[in-house]
Amino acid sequence: MKAWRTTRRAARAARRRITGHSMRRGCIQAMLDAGNPAEVVAVHSRHSPRSTAFDAYRKKKLSWSESPTAARGLAA
């Protein structure tokens, strides 16, 4: 039974999940990408402007076209 649970958890972790939190993060990143000041976006999303949690949202992720594996033909 334990092996089954471990396998199931690994399979669940391996697939990409979209949650309500994904919508929150995406909205914040879209507002920042649109050029809105970070302080305004933080207040809108009910974060403290000095919040370390908000800083995690501010970190830009690479798009698929910027992937380092694209040059090798490995990116999707």
Side-chain angles (χ1 to χ4, degrees):
M1 188 73 165
K2 184 178 178 183
W4 175 80
R5 260 189 249 125
T6 304
T7 304
R8 187 169 180 223
R9 284 186 187 135
R12 195 180 307 147
R15 79 178 175 227
R16 188 174 176 180
R17 292 179 23 178
I18 297 176
T19 64
H21 189 262
S22 303
M23 303 302 170
R24 178 179 171 94
R25 182 180 193 105
C27 180
I28 290 171
Q29 288 181 346
M31 288 190 284
L32 291 170
D33 289 346
N36 293 301
E39 296 79 21
V40 173
V41 175
V43 170
H44 179 77
S45 63
R46 299 191 186 266
H47 285 94
S48 165
R50 293 181 201 89
S51 168
T52 56
F54 184 74
D55 287 340
Y57 292 123
R58 293 176 67 177
K59 292 184 177 147
K60 181 82 171 154
K61 305 291 185 224
L62 288 177
S63 69
W64 284 109
S65 63
E66 298 169 325
S67 171
T69 58
R72 298 188 143 295
L74 301 173

